[in-house]
Amino acid sequence: MAGNTFGKLLQITTFGESHGASIGGILDGVPSGLSIDIESIQSELDRRRPGTSQLTTARKEHDIVEIFSGIIKNEDESLITTGTPVGFGIQNNDAKSKDYSYLKNAYRPSHADYTYEAKYGLRDIRGGGRSSARETACRVVGGAIAKQLLFAASKVEISAYVERVHDISVPFPPAYFERSVIDENIVRCPSKDIADRMIQRIEDVKNTGDTVGGSIVVVAKNVPSGWGEPVFDKLEADLAKALMSIPAVKGIEVGSGFSGTLMKGSEHNDAFRTDKVGKVNTETNRSGGIQGGISNGEEIVLRIGFKPVSTIKKEQNTVNRDSEEMKIIGKGRHDPCVLPRAVPIVEAMVALVLGDHLLRQRSARL
Amino acid sequence: MAGNTFGKLLQITTFGESHGASIGGILDGVPSGLSIDIESIQSELDRRRPGTSQLTTARKEHDIVEIFSGIIKNEDESLITTGTPVGFGIQNNDAKSKDYSYLKNAYRPSHADYTYEAKYGLRDIRGGGRSSARETACRVVGGAIAKQLLFAASKVEISAYVERVHDISVPFPPAYFERSVIDENIVRCPSKDIADRMIQRIEDVKNTGDTVGGSIVVVAKNVPSGWGEPVFDKLEADLAKALMSIPAVKGIEVGSGFSGTLMKGSEHNDAFRTDKVGKVNTETNRSGGIQGGISNGEEIVLRIGFKPVSTIKKEQNTVNRDSEEMKIIGKGRHDPCVLPRAVPIVEAMVALVLGDHLLRQRSARL
Amino acid sequence: MAGNTFGKLLQITTFGESHGASIGGILDGVPSGLSIDIESIQSELDRRRPGTSQLTTARKEHDIVEIFSGIIKNEDESLITTGTPVGFGIQNNDAKSKDYSYLKNAYRPSHADYTYEAKYGLRDIRGGGRSSARETACRVVGGAIAKQLLFAASKVEISAYVERVHDISVPFPPAYFERSVIDENIVRCPSKDIADRMIQRIEDVKNTGDTVGGSIVVVAKNVPSGWGEPVFDKLEADLAKALMSIPAVKGIEVGSGFSGTLMKGSEHNDAFRTDKVGKVNTETNRSGGIQGGISNGEEIVLRIGFKPVSTIKKEQNTVNRDSEEMKIIGKGRHDPCVLPRAVPIVEAMVALVLGDHLLRQRSARL
Amino acid sequence: MAGNTFGKLLQITTFGESHGASIGGILDGVPSGLSIDIESIQSELDRRRPGTSQLTTARKEHDIVEIFSGIIKNEDESLITTGTPVGFGIQNNDAKSKDYSYLKNAYRPSHADYTYEAKYGLRDIRGGGRSSARETACRVVGGAIAKQLLFAASKVEISAYVERVHDISVPFPPAYFERSVIDENIVRCPSKDIADRMIQRIEDVKNTGDTVGGSIVVVAKNVPSGWGEPVFDKLEADLAKALMSIPAVKGIEVGSGFSGTLMKGSEHNDAFRTDKVGKVNTETNRSGGIQGGISNGEEIVLRIGFKPVSTIKKEQNTVNRDSEEMKIIGKGRHDPCVLPRAVPIVEAMVALVLGDHLLRQRSARL
């Protein structure tokens, strides 16, 4: 309730600043008996890690996850959860604090410098402190375990991809793509042609010291009907909170989203039908897999809009702590576009929400 | 945590089905010493009430709020909160259950009939039961008290309006309008000309048995800088959850929203400056009043997209409980467009979130 | 989190003052499909109701529970839960506010008058307001539903009795007694002889304008092994909180309690053994059915100590709002001993805790 | 809500098993601007650490706390909180897992072996895993920070001592003692003579392979009136939960406790009076500093009963995983009496509760 905990039954709490000793977290509520693949957790972290392509900051975050508790070895050396909290940490190895001394008195526009000081009366100026997107690495660790839980319990799979960078968009509607397809290129767009254009755009913008945003689509498949808790903890409400808590997110759409608001009811409704084996499904999926706050068995589909990165290598107007107007130019190593690295973060947050509701649904019926 | 409670320090819990004896709720965490204007609470409820114009369902919900606790009379007969929970109820007077018997076996497309049964194994078929938007009346009561708290403590005011119905939109960007302007017409759009066109569109669509959606803008002014709790309970994250939990919402935007994702960083950043009296503010407000999850003192600006109402008076394909395909036609009295009545609901949810963070901010500093 | 909500998955929130319009609550998280016996709920309320014997206050609380939501009729007119929140209320019919006007400026010793004003800056002086034990009626309603859940799901039964009044105690160790035995006499002690002595003592004390306390034992049987959530939400920890939140409680013991602290480890340990059908159990039950925070399948046994009622008909020293010393004498109708009426309250709080952990245990394993 | 988180606004979450890589936790909600004395935190840990006297297990837990986040250096190198979560860890250095292999199939009587398996289907057999009292080291770290918060904000101080070991008790009623007095002897009893007798008793019992329990008194002074949240989060209710969640606790008393239940109301009530400077206080303190769930400004006084340690070096009856009866003898290094080391744990849990309510009280009034 103090702001750094998320979830009700599957519950993650995180700590850590960009340039402190380490970041980490505790994932509580993981059921016992879940086989854990550590490499899979690390591979999710690697997807988020900067410095892996020319599109991302050169900052070297080694980002090796260490797990401290909640998982033991079976006799065959495989790993299994015990039901107790999973504590984990990631060292901060490349914390060049000196890069940030010039920020001591200046507030970077559209960053959290000003607001953290307004709230707390002081701030850790090194790399944005707690407001740095570095904290999302902990979400990725928690989300990776949630993914393993979801697949083991219900075959649920979650996949996100970059749909649009600046004004370059894929021409097809949201759909589920395998990770092998998405990770084929460094921008994580499932269309190779569009990916090439996106990469070129990011390069061009980067060369002018500027940044771009765009949108990510995330799809969860095999979610059983019945997940979600009306009236406040509706599945889409919890997903919206989870996704809106990711740095730089400015918009969320479920299913048909804003374009659906231009339709008439007769155009928008998803008619029910039965498939060959008699299972109920819907002809269309404008509901995005959720009706009345509860999953209906169709794919869960969301779109997330990310603003352009705030740190630009251009002179900007700002003020200092004494409310004096001044100029500032971004330094350090920053991404010209966060979307490729945000893909695993989006998936992680969706996994944490679905994992929570997987468990919550167990109490719905006598 | 069981789904019908919202907020951490200012906390609302609601109950009630569309056709049960009554609906109601408990608002806990209201500080003591707050003067309460009951008429103002009732007037918010009246704004949400159906049957007040030709745009809304003819269902007569009298919707008189009764307050049972948490408020006492001063010696001058004025009302004041005691710090104990405010219990309240609203009778269900016009519950014509017979209207819904035909739904016993059928699932209405894009309603919650199917998903409630998937979750609970049974459902209250009368008027949608708990999934009915009738439950939002309780949110309006809680939000009305939160508004009084916000104004008394910090002069915060919240105002929402209908920005777009179907494809008819106001031509100006989001801004704060006084309620007197907004409530001047039955569609709650602050532009009289556009309002007239919206009303005509709703009438036209209604006459064909169809429905439309659109978008609502909500603006909160005078929110001090410093509200919001990173990293998960960011102000925009809690707002997104609050708004996405309203029935029929499919999209949420903060500040620049999706259109901001088409800008470059140099175009999107909000430069800091000082005003005549030396107070820091920003030249633009693409952040929508929130940076890094914390309010920055600018207006908080959100856009909410509502899908068209699911109940249409046209034949649709669906299935029954035995998974047999069948046809269904909507009966009863339903709104062709929910947006005018959703305005006070949107305001209420924003007020509940801001009221919660007003109190949470009191613990930020030693 | 604002103080009037209890439980995680089975969650009760209550409202109401002694002399307001009504008291009530919301029980959220009740699973769907539970058959509900309303008469059984009312009968629990009747056990708590004052005015039923010469031992209790003559205040007439009719205490008829009304249920507003969350329960529907089956075709055979039987009642069943829908999984949505159960809202309920109890009218305050006999609220003689005038009795309390003399308290406007005085703080009754060992009551909550002084502390409520210290906390909130004002208080509802009528009958103690929210601090009145009247609010426990709502706990009894919630607990009665929890009991029905526990029995339907796991055959769990909970029974409390008065073990001691003042210094008159039953001579046997804690054990499970049927309600029919306990309710045979007005003091709710399962030993007729001791009950007679207790009644006489209460009468004697009442005649001098004084009051007495004592202890209650509560036993839950058929609780399966595995309930409880280490390390903070241990079953005994949640039970201790639940019971210590009842007005007038000053002490809690689990199993062997304080007398167990006088034993050596070799005397206190509960040796495991198997019964005839091979089921593991323990030779003794000094653990009180809980080990390491988790139920072990034995009877759960607790003792609760209640102080004497604070309202006495004798002159006492106190101060007024202006911190002036003064004298006060209790007026109105009050119990000389709360224990008989506290029996159903104790059972209710235990039921709410166990019902919560019944549901929480469902998420323990993959 | 998954069991390893405690508190609402000041919130601790812990992880870690006795023989895993490390234990640790996250303290969220610490206000910004609090000066932190790391040595003071470490000194609390040292008080809990085993191997420091002949009364405790020889197990060497070095127990050096590392703090990872939430605290930065001022320009003068002093430390200050930032308002972000404080992550911390303690390495497990002396984890001799081999000691526990004999427990693979056996359930130690009155330990949590059986119940963890009943709950989770498996368990970490090394040293009790999560059920080990080793986890309490994390509570001590969190509590040490809470103490610094409480003193800085309100001069609150908390002090516990061993009142009784087995049947050897101090002859005086609960009172506040300075730590310097309490820590003068290894049993942490403020009476030297009684302490000597306690130490002798523990030695004698240890020599027979047996163990003893006893009671601890804890007193908090300078707690302002007004802390505590009726009706469920009463101050004594939250304290009872906090203390009952400590391993081996079987009983809790507030103020007069069970002995108070033998008094009449006229004997038990705490009369109000004013002191020389006109401040209201009470003649006696049978309420233990709490009335109606809210602190009244007097000393908060609690007694906690600890059962004898379960691990004894004597043969006991038990069963194995196959429900076969067998014999077991305790091995390894264990305390013959936990009370001296439990003193800082008790203080920590009281500090966490009071720190939480310090913050919660800030929202009580407009």
Side-chain angles (χ1 to χ4, degrees):
Chain A
M1 330 199 183
N4 295 282
T5 296
F6 184 83
K8 299 290 169 72
L9 288 181
L10 184 68
Q11 187 171 62
I12 190 167
T13 304
T14 69
F15 71 84
E17 279 80 47
S18 176
H19 289 65
S22 67
I23 60 174
I26 301 172
L27 186 66
D28 198 8
V30 184
S32 66
L34 175 68
S35 290
I36 290 292
D37 176 356
I38 296 284
E39 284 175 28
S40 173
I41 301 172
Q42 184 60 48
S43 92
E44 296 282 2
L45 258 188
D46 293 344
R47 297 175 86 205
R48 197 209 73 96
R49 187 159 54 90
T52 56
S53 83
Q54 74 269 34
L55 298 188
T56 67
T57 166
R59 174 173 168 164
K60 288 284 180 299
E61 296 174 0
H62 299 284
D63 284 2
I64 305 299
V65 64
E66 291 176 274
I67 293 190
F68 304 130
S69 64
I71 296 174
I72 57 174
K73 277 185 188 167
N74 283 315
E75 292 185 4
D76 65 357
E77 297 289 301
S78 69
L79 297 172
I80 194 163
T81 58
T82 59
T84 62
V86 178
F88 60 89
I90 303 168
Q91 295 295 317
N92 282 337
N93 292 317
D94 187 39
K96 296 197 181 176
S97 302
K98 58 189 170 189
D99 286 348
Y100 297 93
S101 57
Y102 75 108
L103 291 175
K104 199 167 156 186
N105 293 306
Y107 301 127
R108 291 169 295 169
S110 290
H111 273 273
D113 302 342
Y114 175 77
T115 52
Y116 266 66
E117 283 207 13
K119 183 173 193 67
Y120 298 114
L122 54 88
R123 78 179 205 275
D124 183 352
I125 60 161
R126 301 167 302 163
R130 182 70 177 154
S131 77
S132 165
R134 177 143 182 75
E135 62 89 5
T136 58
C138 299
R139 305 178 181 215
V140 170
V141 172
I145 296 172
K147 279 183 180 178
Q148 296 186 29
L149 168 63
L150 285 161
F151 189 78
S154 299
K155 303 285 179 211
V156 171
E157 292 186 276
I158 299 161
S159 178
Y161 60 86
V162 175
E163 179 193 47
R164 178 170 55 78
V165 166
H166 207 194
D167 62 354
I168 302 169
S169 175
V170 300
F172 45 77
Y176 186 91
F177 289 93
E178 296 296 330
R179 184 195 293 192
S180 56
V181 174
I182 293 164
D183 282 2
E184 228 162 43
N185 57 69
I186 56 175
V187 81
R188 292 208 168 91
C189 172
S191 160
K192 191 191 174 313
D193 288 352
I194 303 295
D196 289 344
R197 290 178 53 202
M198 289 173 170
I199 293 165
Q200 189 57 52
R201 176 65 56 86
I202 296 172
E203 292 283 354
D204 291 349
V205 166
K206 180 185 176 185
N207 290 337
T208 67
D210 219 328
T211 60
V212 281
S215 66
I216 286 177
V217 162
V218 61
V219 179
K221 68 177 185 183
N222 298 334
V223 176
S225 57
W227 293 8
E229 299 287 330
V231 294
F232 295 112
D233 295 351
K234 284 173 174 159
L235 195 55
E236 68 269 46
D238 278 1
L239 286 164
K241 171 166 177 165
L243 294 166
M244 196 63 99
S245 77
I246 299 174
V249 172
K250 303 300 287 181
I252 308 282
E253 293 185 313
V254 180
S256 63
F258 282 97
S259 69
T261 70
L262 290 162
M263 294 173 166
K264 293 184 186 168
S266 59
E267 297 161 341
H268 192 273
N269 282 355
D270 296 317
F272 286 108
R273 63 182 180 186
T274 52
D275 65 13
K276 292 169 205 163
V277 295
K279 192 175 168 294
V280 173
N281 62 8
T282 60
E283 286 178 26
T284 50
N285 186 21
R286 298 191 184 95
S287 300
I290 307 172
Q291 291 173 329
I294 302 169
S295 61
N296 69 355
E298 302 298 307
E299 285 183 346
I300 290 178
V301 180
L302 296 136
R303 177 180 287 112
I304 307 102
F306 287 80
K307 70 170 187 176
V309 176
S310 300
T311 302
I312 57 175
K313 305 213 170 161
K314 296 184 172 217
E315 192 177 75
Q316 298 178 85
N317 293 326
T318 192
V319 297
N320 64 18
R321 280 189 183 170
D322 300 322
S323 299
E324 296 163 342
E325 298 191 342
M326 59 175 291
K327 303 283 184 186
I328 193 170
I329 301 184
K331 290 184 187 171
R333 299 153 300 180
H334 293 279
D335 289 334
C337 177
V338 294
L339 280 88
R341 289 177 57 206
V343 162
I345 303 167
V346 164
E347 290 177 6
M349 292 310 297
V350 171
L352 286 165
V353 171
L354 294 180
D356 192 31
H357 281 281
L358 156 68
L359 299 180
R360 295 177 77 176
Q361 171 58 8
R362 292 183 179 182
S363 297
R365 300 186 186 194
L366 177 59
Chain B
M1 326 197 188
N4 295 283
T5 295
F6 184 82
K8 299 291 167 73
L9 288 180
L10 184 67
Q11 186 171 63
I12 190 169
T13 304
T14 68
F15 71 84
E17 279 79 46
S18 175
H19 289 66
S22 67
I23 60 173
I26 301 172
L27 187 65
D28 197 8
V30 184
S32 65
L34 175 68
S35 289
I36 290 292
D37 176 356
I38 296 282
E39 284 175 27
S40 173
I41 302 172
Q42 185 61 48
S43 92
E44 296 282 2
L45 258 189
D46 292 345
R47 297 175 85 206
R48 196 210 74 95
R49 188 159 54 90
T52 55
S53 83
Q54 76 268 33
L55 299 187
T56 67
T57 163
R59 174 175 167 162
K60 288 283 180 299
E61 297 174 358
H62 301 283
D63 284 2
I64 306 298
V65 65
E66 292 176 273
I67 292 189
F68 306 129
S69 64
I71 296 172
I72 57 174
K73 278 186 186 166
N74 284 315
E75 292 185 4
D76 64 357
E77 296 289 302
S78 69
L79 298 172
I80 194 164
T81 58
T82 59
T84 61
V86 178
F88 59 89
I90 302 168
Q91 295 295 316
N92 283 335
N93 293 317
D94 188 38
K96 297 196 183 176
S97 301
K98 59 189 169 188
D99 285 349
Y100 296 94
S101 56
Y102 74 108
L103 291 175
K104 198 168 157 187
N105 294 305
Y107 301 127
R108 290 170 296 168
S110 289
H111 272 274
D113 302 343
Y114 176 76
T115 53
Y116 266 66
E117 283 207 14
K119 183 172 193 69
Y120 298 114
L122 54 88
R123 77 180 206 275
D124 182 352
I125 61 161
R126 301 166 302 163
R130 182 69 177 154
S131 77
S132 165
R134 178 144 181 75
E135 62 89 6
T136 59
C138 299
R139 304 178 181 214
V140 170
V141 173
I145 297 172
K147 279 183 179 178
Q148 297 186 30
L149 168 64
L150 285 160
F151 188 78
S154 301
K155 303 283 181 214
V156 171
E157 292 185 276
I158 300 161
S159 177
Y161 60 86
V162 175
E163 178 193 49
R164 178 170 56 77
V165 166
H166 205 197
D167 61 353
I168 303 169
S169 175
V170 301
F172 44 78
Y176 186 91
F177 289 92
E178 296 297 330
R179 184 194 293 192
S180 56
V181 175
I182 293 164
D183 282 2
E184 228 162 43
N185 57 69
I186 55 174
V187 81
R188 295 208 166 88
C189 171
S191 160
K192 190 192 174 312
D193 288 351
I194 302 296
D196 288 345
R197 291 178 52 204
M198 289 173 170
I199 292 165
Q200 189 58 51
R201 175 66 55 88
I202 295 170
E203 292 282 355
D204 292 349
V205 166
K206 181 185 176 185
N207 291 337
T208 67
D210 219 328
T211 60
V212 281
S215 66
I216 286 177
V217 162
V218 62
V219 179
K221 69 177 184 184
N222 299 334
V223 177
S225 57
W227 293 7
E229 300 286 331
V231 295
F232 294 113
D233 295 351
K234 285 175 173 160
L235 195 55
E236 69 268 46
D238 278 1
L239 286 164
K241 173 168 174 163
L243 295 166
M244 196 63 98
S245 77
I246 299 173
V249 173
K250 304 300 287 181
I252 308 282
E253 292 185 313
V254 180
S256 63
F258 282 98
S259 69
T261 70
L262 289 162
M263 294 173 164
K264 292 183 186 169
S266 58
E267 298 162 341
H268 192 273
N269 282 354
D270 295 318
F272 286 108
R273 64 182 181 187
T274 52
D275 65 13
K276 293 167 205 164
V277 296
K279 192 173 168 295
V280 174
N281 63 8
T282 60
E283 288 179 25
T284 49
N285 185 20
R286 296 189 187 96
S287 299
I290 308 171
Q291 291 172 328
I294 302 169
S295 60
N296 68 355
E298 303 297 309
E299 285 182 347
I300 290 178
V301 181
L302 296 138
R303 177 180 287 113
I304 306 100
F306 288 79
K307 70 169 188 177
V309 177
S310 300
T311 302
I312 57 175
K313 304 210 172 164
K314 297 187 172 213
E315 189 177 79
Q316 299 176 84
N317 293 326
T318 192
V319 297
N320 63 17
R321 280 189 184 169
D322 300 322
S323 298
E324 295 163 341
E325 299 190 341
M326 59 176 290
K327 303 284 184 187
I328 192 170
I329 300 183
K331 289 186 188 171
R333 299 152 301 179
H334 295 279
D335 289 334
C337 177
V338 295
L339 279 88
R341 290 177 57 205
V343 162
I345 304 167
V346 164
E347 291 177 6
M349 292 311 297
V350 171
L352 286 166
V353 171
L354 293 180
D356 192 32
H357 281 280
L358 156 69
L359 299 180
R360 295 177 75 175
Q361 171 58 7
R362 294 183 177 181
S363 297
R365 300 185 186 197
L366 179 60
Chain C
M1 325 195 190
N4 295 282
T5 295
F6 184 83
K8 299 293 168 72
L9 288 181
L10 184 68
Q11 187 170 62
I12 189 167
T13 304
T14 69
F15 70 84
E17 279 81 46
S18 175
H19 290 65
S22 67
I23 60 173
I26 301 172
L27 186 66
D28 198 7
V30 184
S32 66
L34 175 69
S35 291
I36 291 291
D37 176 356
I38 296 283
E39 284 175 27
S40 172
I41 301 172
Q42 184 61 47
S43 91
E44 296 282 2
L45 257 188
D46 292 344
R47 297 176 86 205
R48 196 209 74 95
R49 187 159 54 89
T52 56
S53 81
Q54 75 268 35
L55 299 187
T56 68
T57 165
R59 173 173 167 163
K60 289 283 180 301
E61 297 175 359
H62 299 284
D63 285 1
I64 305 298
V65 64
E66 292 176 274
I67 292 189
F68 305 129
S69 63
I71 296 173
I72 56 173
K73 278 186 186 165
N74 283 315
E75 293 185 4
D76 64 357
E77 294 291 302
S78 68
L79 298 171
I80 193 165
T81 60
T82 60
T84 62
V86 178
F88 60 88
I90 303 168
Q91 295 294 317
N92 282 336
N93 292 319
D94 187 39
K96 294 196 183 177
S97 303
K98 57 188 169 186
D99 286 349
Y100 298 94
S101 56
Y102 74 108
L103 291 175
K104 200 169 157 185
N105 293 306
Y107 301 128
R108 291 169 296 169
S110 289
H111 272 275
D113 301 343
Y114 176 76
T115 53
Y116 266 67
E117 283 206 15
K119 183 174 193 69
Y120 297 115
L122 54 87
R123 79 179 204 275
D124 183 352
I125 60 159
R126 302 167 300 163
R130 182 69 176 155
S131 77
S132 165
R134 177 144 181 75
E135 61 90 5
T136 59
C138 299
R139 304 178 182 214
V140 171
V141 173
I145 297 172
K147 279 183 181 179
Q148 297 186 29
L149 169 63
L150 285 160
F151 189 78
S154 299
K155 302 286 180 211
V156 171
E157 291 185 275
I158 300 162
S159 177
Y161 60 86
V162 175
E163 179 193 46
R164 179 170 55 77
V165 166
H166 207 196
D167 61 354
I168 302 169
S169 175
V170 300
F172 43 78
Y176 186 91
F177 289 93
E178 295 297 330
R179 185 193 292 191
S180 57
V181 175
I182 294 165
D183 282 3
E184 229 162 42
N185 57 69
I186 56 175
V187 80
R188 290 206 170 94
C189 170
S191 160
K192 191 190 174 313
D193 288 351
I194 303 295
D196 288 344
R197 293 177 52 203
M198 289 173 170
I199 292 166
Q200 188 59 51
R201 175 67 53 87
I202 296 171
E203 291 284 354
D204 291 348
V205 166
K206 182 184 175 187
N207 290 337
T208 68
D210 219 328
T211 59
V212 281
S215 66
I216 285 178
V217 162
V218 61
V219 179
K221 68 178 185 183
N222 298 334
V223 176
S225 56
W227 292 9
E229 299 286 330
V231 296
F232 295 113
D233 295 352
K234 285 174 173 159
L235 195 55
E236 67 268 47
D238 277 1
L239 287 165
K241 171 165 176 166
L243 294 167
M244 196 64 99
S245 76
I246 299 173
V249 174
K250 303 300 286 182
I252 307 283
E253 294 185 312
V254 180
S256 63
F258 282 97
S259 68
T261 70
L262 290 163
M263 293 174 166
K264 292 184 185 167
S266 58
E267 296 162 342
H268 192 273
N269 282 355
D270 295 318
F272 286 108
R273 63 183 179 185
T274 51
D275 66 12
K276 292 169 206 165
V277 296
K279 193 173 169 294
V280 173
N281 63 8
T282 60
E283 287 179 25
T284 49
N285 186 20
R286 298 191 183 95
S287 299
I290 307 172
Q291 292 173 329
I294 302 169
S295 61
N296 69 356
E298 303 298 309
E299 285 183 347
I300 291 179
V301 180
L302 296 137
R303 176 180 288 114
I304 306 101
F306 288 79
K307 69 169 187 176
V309 176
S310 300
T311 303
I312 57 176
K313 303 209 171 164
K314 297 183 171 216
E315 190 178 77
Q316 298 177 85
N317 294 326
T318 192
V319 298
N320 65 17
R321 280 190 184 169
D322 299 322
S323 300
E324 295 161 342
E325 298 190 343
M326 60 176 290
K327 305 282 184 188
I328 192 171
I329 300 183
K331 291 184 186 171
R333 299 153 300 178
H334 295 280
D335 289 332
C337 177
V338 294
L339 279 89
R341 290 177 56 206
V343 162
I345 303 168
V346 164
E347 290 177 7
M349 292 310 297
V350 171
L352 287 165
V353 171
L354 294 180
D356 192 31
H357 281 281
L358 155 70
L359 298 180
R360 295 177 76 177
Q361 171 59 6
R362 293 184 178 180
S363 296
R365 301 186 185 194
L366 178 59
Chain D
M1 325 197 187
N4 295 282
T5 296
F6 184 82
K8 300 291 168 71
L9 287 181
L10 183 68
Q11 186 171 63
I12 190 167
T13 305
T14 68
F15 70 84
E17 278 80 44
S18 175
H19 289 66
S22 67
I23 61 173
I26 301 171
L27 186 66
D28 199 8
V30 183
S32 66
L34 175 68
S35 291
I36 291 291
D37 177 356
I38 296 283
E39 284 175 28
S40 173
I41 302 172
Q42 183 62 47
S43 92
E44 295 282 2
L45 257 190
D46 293 345
R47 296 175 86 207
R48 197 210 72 97
R49 186 161 54 90
T52 56
S53 83
Q54 75 269 33
L55 299 187
T56 67
T57 164
R59 174 173 167 163
K60 289 281 181 300
E61 295 175 0
H62 299 284
D63 284 3
I64 306 298
V65 64
E66 292 176 273
I67 292 189
F68 305 130
S69 65
I71 296 173
I72 57 173
K73 279 185 185 165
N74 284 316
E75 292 185 5
D76 64 358
E77 296 291 301
S78 69
L79 298 172
I80 195 165
T81 58
T82 60
T84 62
V86 178
F88 59 89
I90 303 168
Q91 295 294 316
N92 283 336
N93 291 318
D94 188 39
K96 295 195 181 176
S97 302
K98 59 189 167 186
D99 285 350
Y100 297 92
S101 56
Y102 74 107
L103 291 175
K104 200 168 157 185
N105 293 306
Y107 300 129
R108 290 170 296 168
S110 288
H111 272 274
D113 301 343
Y114 175 76
T115 53
Y116 266 67
E117 283 206 15
K119 183 174 192 68
Y120 297 114
L122 54 88
R123 77 180 207 272
D124 182 351
I125 61 160
R126 301 167 301 164
R130 182 69 175 155
S131 77
S132 165
R134 178 147 180 73
E135 62 89 5
T136 59
C138 299
R139 304 178 181 213
V140 170
V141 172
I145 296 172
K147 280 183 179 179
Q148 297 186 29
L149 168 63
L150 286 161
F151 189 78
S154 300
K155 303 284 182 212
V156 171
E157 292 185 277
I158 299 161
S159 178
Y161 60 87
V162 174
E163 177 193 48
R164 179 169 56 76
V165 166
H166 205 196
D167 60 354
I168 303 169
S169 174
V170 301
F172 44 77
Y176 186 90
F177 289 93
E178 295 297 329
R179 185 194 293 192
S180 56
V181 174
I182 292 164
D183 282 2
E184 229 162 43
N185 56 68
I186 56 175
V187 79
R188 292 207 169 91
C189 171
S191 160
K192 191 192 173 312
D193 288 350
I194 303 295
D196 288 344
R197 290 177 53 201
M198 288 173 169
I199 292 166
Q200 189 58 51
R201 175 66 55 86
I202 296 172
E203 292 284 353
D204 291 348
V205 165
K206 181 184 176 188
N207 290 337
T208 66
D210 219 329
T211 60
V212 282
S215 67
I216 285 177
V217 161
V218 62
V219 179
K221 67 177 186 184
N222 299 334
V223 176
S225 56
W227 293 7
E229 299 287 330
V231 294
F232 295 113
D233 296 351
K234 286 176 172 157
L235 195 55
E236 68 268 46
D238 278 2
L239 286 164
K241 173 167 175 165
L243 295 167
M244 196 63 99
S245 77
I246 299 174
V249 173
K250 303 299 288 180
I252 308 282
E253 293 185 313
V254 180
S256 64
F258 282 97
S259 69
T261 68
L262 290 162
M263 294 174 164
K264 292 184 186 167
S266 58
E267 298 162 340
H268 192 274
N269 282 355
D270 295 317
F272 286 108
R273 62 181 182 188
T274 54
D275 65 14
K276 294 168 205 164
V277 296
K279 192 174 167 295
V280 173
N281 63 9
T282 60
E283 288 179 25
T284 49
N285 186 20
R286 297 193 184 93
S287 299
I290 308 170
Q291 291 173 329
I294 301 170
S295 61
N296 68 355
E298 303 298 308
E299 286 183 346
I300 290 178
V301 180
L302 296 138
R303 176 181 287 114
I304 306 102
F306 288 80
K307 70 170 187 176
V309 176
S310 300
T311 302
I312 57 175
K313 303 211 172 163
K314 298 186 171 213
E315 192 177 76
Q316 297 177 86
N317 293 326
T318 192
V319 298
N320 65 17
R321 280 189 185 171
D322 299 323
S323 298
E324 294 162 342
E325 300 190 340
M326 60 175 291
K327 304 285 184 185
I328 193 169
I329 301 183
K331 291 184 188 172
R333 298 154 301 179
H334 294 280
D335 289 334
C337 177
V338 295
L339 279 90
R341 291 177 55 206
V343 162
I345 303 168
V346 164
E347 289 177 8
M349 292 310 298
V350 170
L352 287 165
V353 171
L354 293 180
D356 192 32
H357 282 281
L358 156 70
L359 300 180
R360 296 177 75 176
Q361 171 58 5
R362 294 183 177 181
S363 297
R365 299 184 186 197
L366 178 59

